[in-house]
Amino acid sequence: MSGTGIDSPGVDPPDHDDGSAPVVPAPWLPRGLADAVAVAGERLARLGVRAGERVVLDTPTRARWAVLPHLLAADRLGAASLLADTGWTVRERAAVLADAAPHHVVGTDGRAATAEGGPRTPGLFLLPTTSGSTGVPSVLGRDRRSWRIGFDLLGGLPGPVLVPGPPSSTLYLFGALHALHHGLGLVTRGRLDPTDLPDGGSVHLVPAQLSALLDERERRPGGPVPRVVVCGGAHVAPGVRERCARLLPTTTLLEYYGSAEHSLIATRRDDGPLRPVEGVRLAVHDGVLWVDSPQSVRGRFTRGVLEPAAPGPTTVGDRAELTADGGLTVLGRAATTISSGGTLVAAEEVEQVLRGVPGVDDVVVAGTPHASLGMVVTAVVEARDDVPDRRALRAAARTALSPAKRPRRWLVTRALPRLGSGKPARAAVDAALHDGSLDAVPLGDPE
């Protein structure tokens, strides 16, 4: 990806970032956005938002990115923002607000409310939530410096930059603020439309969006071609990387692995291995990845109290392997491990294999009860068009997986339940499998 580095215009960052400057200084903002931030700042000031307070920002689904000026304005006032996800259930929203204990709840549509909020927490700019893919989201506390480190490590990209997803997902919000940090033209959308792709620019996607983009390119060749596709949120299967190289030969695929807790951990360009970014130290103990990073969050909120993160390495429970030369292979979250017939099966490992099969738009692997095995490995395949070839799926599993890890039950659905970020809602799939409410049909007989 030669020639894609772009320096931030207007203001030189200080040699020592003490975290006091706004996450994106005002001179770096395009004029229209800067004006919107000024208006939002006046509104928040009238509402009494002060430094150290916590603000929940609500926005209608049809205009999700209207929240961006409010986030930047709250940051300038020294307040920390939590961007509410319109896809949360009533239970999830109540749990998030109970832990965040906000001082203000502000809607971009004019609504606003104040609350006690408890002790203020100075020094934070964002209250990211974990994705909730395996349960109720948790509320974290992040300072400005931690993300500015990540902006510089990811580096400049060719602009303009398309961010086609909700800002409540840190994956998309990071992409938008990264573009502003580097002075790139920013285009935000609530979802991916291939006609919005910036020809010669960059786009931030999750793997399901990348697969959909490649499907569209096969059906309708031609159209705008981005120079860089930045893909995060889950592993990109080798088959998908091969399709990307074939269908978008002039595009660089920049894959990264990270978490809400640690931000940017490792990157991969095209077919190279994942490698930790500068300043991140990794270790694997008993198969679980531990991360020591200056990008880590400051802590986790419980009932309005910030519980500081422990110093040194921490883990989110991802299983992984490190090679002798520093390459990283992520096998999936320990919480998604399936115990089947005495073998522990990492759901993500199986999903990585199956996502490369033609006709598979996405897949979630889960465990369902079995009389003798305890749990049986079950693959729920999303296929928006034609039903994938069962023989091709089983051949891929035989080639890449040991017998105990191969799915014994196969289901197909037109659409997996999804989170606002675009990731599959793993907990919802698991619950629907157990109560029989999943909108899916068998793909062949159980093995």
Side-chain angles (χ1 to χ4, degrees):
M1 193 173 65
S2 61
T4 60
I6 299 176
D7 294 330
S8 303
V11 176
D12 291 328
D15 293 333
H16 174 68
D17 186 353
D18 62 4
S20 60
V23 66
V24 182
W28 297 7
L29 300 177
R31 176 165 295 180
L33 179 56
D35 291 344
V37 171
V39 171
E42 291 173 0
R43 181 188 179 212
L44 294 178
R46 288 195 302 271
L47 293 172
V49 174
R50 297 179 297 167
E53 291 187 329
R54 298 180 294 282
V55 181
V56 170
L57 296 175
D58 278 315
T59 189
T61 301
R62 65 182 181 278
R64 290 172 173 175
W65 283 97
V67 77
L68 183 58
H70 287 73
L71 166 73
L72 296 174
D75 178 44
R76 280 154 176 73
L77 293 171
S81 296
L82 188 156
L83 278 56
D85 187 338
T86 57
W88 283 336
T89 64
V90 172
R91 181 180 71 91
E92 288 171 333
R93 181 180 171 93
V96 167
L97 265 62
D99 281 338
H103 300 89
H104 305 269
V105 179
V106 177
T108 59
D109 57 0
R111 296 171 299 151
T114 59
E116 284 296 324
R120 287 189 282 175
T121 45
L124 303 179
F125 98 95
L126 184 67
L127 307 180
T129 57
T130 57
S131 67
S133 58
T134 57
V136 174
S138 297
V139 181
L140 310 173
R142 181 169 289 286
D143 61 30
R144 303 168 176 122
R145 179 176 176 270
S146 63
W147 261 17
R148 280 201 287 259
I149 293 171
F151 297 159
D152 290 335
L153 288 171
L154 190 60
L157 298 171
V161 177
L162 173 64
V163 181
S168 55
S169 164
T170 53
L171 182 148
Y172 298 114
L173 182 62
F174 180 92
L177 296 183
H178 170 271
L180 295 174
H181 174 86
H182 286 283
L184 306 173
L186 173 63
V187 180
T188 56
R189 296 287 187 269
R191 61 181 180 84
L192 175 65
D193 182 337
T195 62
D196 291 328
L197 286 173
D199 197 30
S202 303
V203 59
H204 288 261
L205 302 176
V206 296
Q209 290 175 313
L210 177 57
S211 292
L213 172 61
L214 297 174
D215 290 343
E216 178 68 15
R217 188 52 55 110
E218 282 193 310
R219 287 191 296 265
R220 298 179 181 86
V225 178
R227 281 179 61 194
V228 177
V229 170
V230 183
C231 197
H235 176 80
V236 180
V240 175
R241 292 202 297 272
E242 182 278 326
R243 288 183 70 209
C244 188
R246 174 169 51 86
L247 295 170
L248 300 172
T250 62
T251 298
T252 294
L253 176 59
L254 172 55
E255 182 184 353
Y256 70 87
Y257 162 66
S259 67
E261 293 86 348
H262 300 118
S263 195
L264 190 63
I265 296 173
T267 60
R268 174 195 351 245
R269 296 180 187 273
D270 296 319
D271 287 330
L274 277 171
R275 294 196 178 278
V277 298
E278 183 180 352
V280 171
R281 294 183 293 277
L282 304 179
V284 174
H285 301 295
D286 297 324
V288 175
L289 181 67
W290 289 77
V291 180
D292 191 357
S293 171
Q295 303 172 62
S296 296
V297 295
R298 294 258 292 269
R300 186 181 302 265
F301 279 91
T302 302
R303 300 291 171 176
V305 176
L306 180 64
E307 300 174 353
T314 56
T315 184
V316 298
D318 280 346
R319 299 174 61 253
E321 296 174 349
L322 285 172
T323 62
D325 65 349
L328 172 66
T329 301
V330 182
L331 303 176
R333 192 65 50 94
T336 64
T337 298
I338 303 160
S339 179
S340 180
T343 299
L344 296 179
V345 181
E348 284 94 339
E349 180 184 2
V350 183
E351 291 164 358
Q352 290 172 16
V353 171
L354 301 181
R355 283 195 185 104
V357 177
V360 175
D361 293 306
D362 208 345
V363 61
V364 167
V365 170
T368 50
H370 189 276
S372 59
L373 296 175
M375 301 292 281
V376 64
V377 179
T378 300
V380 184
V381 175
E382 181 182 85
R384 291 183 288 270
D385 296 320
D386 296 331
V387 175
D389 187 338
R390 184 177 69 239
R391 290 169 299 182
L393 286 165
R394 289 175 173 165
R398 282 195 301 271
T399 299
L401 300 168
S402 62
K405 296 180 179 180
R406 299 171 193 164
R408 290 171 172 256
R409 184 183 179 199
W410 300 84
L411 301 171
V412 64
T413 181
R414 291 294 182 191
L416 288 165
R418 292 194 178 273
L419 305 169
S421 65
K423 296 179 183 179
R426 193 178 293 277
V429 172
D430 191 60
L433 278 172
H434 281 76
D435 65 20
S437 64
L438 186 67
D439 184 14
V441 296
L443 184 66
D445 298 324
E447 294 183 355

